[in-house]
Amino acid sequence: MAPLTPEDIVGVLEGRGWEASIVKAADMPDMHDVDPRGILKCVDGRGSDNTAFKGPKMAGGIYAIAHNRGTTTVDGLKAITKEVAVAGHVPSVHGDDSSDMLGCGFFKLWVTGRFDDMGYPRPEFDADQGAAAVKEAGGFIEMHHGSHAEKVVLINLVADKTLDPNEDDQRFIVDGWAAGKFGLDVPKFLVAAAATVEMLGGPKKAKIIVA
């Protein structure tokens, strides 16, 4: 199968009723190298008690990896936590100040069956059990605050680069290259990210960032 192109991504999103365009990394002045001390975190654009933002961004943090692979057990989640650490990133999941560990919209959609019709099995663990497993395996638990006010979805295809969330100018940040690094099904990963934004009432507007 031919690799997914930025133009393919634009076409898929436009087919879902999105506005999508391709932009150059050089036109994104706040893009920077991934720092191994930064957490592999959720795409959520809100504020956080964590300031180590310079890791890759995936929906739900490491839950994105479990979701894409159909991993539904606590032991499987612990193994992914350790895999992410070995790959040079700080594994994480998050909650928020209003819903505790169910404050991650992606995980809430997953555990309540909103991805059932896309063929994703539900996790066998709840939000608290998932967070406990990640922490036990050496991962980081992040807590977000404030309300969602994201204006755009940034899909970054430039390897080993990322952007940081800004709670005063929110955007969803999806590091598409990270899906490839962990051997995920990249089209499914990106469609699941888009579906998450749609189900959470986010902006159907995306910029695909290329080198």
Side-chain angles (χ1 to χ4, degrees), residues 44 46 63 93-112 123 125-131 141-144 148 200:
D44 193 315
R46 294 177 293 170
Y63 283 143
V93 296
H94 81 91
D96 72 12
D97 59 357
S98 63
S99 302
D100 202 36
M101 292 316 302
L102 262 183
C104 175
F106 176 80
F107 182 79
K108 186 173 183 179
L109 293 170
W110 185 21
V111 78
T112 56
F125 48 86
D126 63 23
D128 291 334
Q129 291 165 337
I141 307 303
E142 180 185 31
M143 296 302 284
H144 290 185
H148 281 287
L200 294 176

Side-chain angles (χ1 to χ4, degrees), residues 40 58 60-93 110 125 133-134 137-139 182 184:
L40 189 157
M58 305 172 83
I62 70 164
Y63 283 143
I65 301 173
H67 181 261
N68 191 272
R69 293 177 180 170
T71 300
T72 59
T73 66
V74 163
D75 286 344
L77 186 62
K78 288 179 180 177
I80 288 170
T81 303
K82 293 173 182 176
E83 175 190 351
V84 168
V86 168
H89 305 293
V90 179
S92 84
V93 296
W110 185 21
F125 48 86
V134 170
F182 289 99
L184 305 186

Side-chain angles (χ1 to χ4, degrees), residues 9 13 18-21 23 28 43 150-156 163 170-175 190 193-198 201-209:
I9 297 170
L13 290 174
W18 287 53
E19 175 187 333
S21 60
V23 299
M28 303 297 293
V43 302
E150 290 89 353
K151 302 183 186 76
V152 66
V153 181
L154 302 180
I155 300 173
N156 172 36
L163 301 103
Q170 292 183 29
R171 63 265 180 99
F172 289 109
I173 301 164
V174 181
D175 283 315
L190 292 174
T196 298
V197 172
E198 293 164 5
K204 294 174 72 171
K205 179 180 179 181
K207 293 181 179 180
I208 294 88
I209 305 169

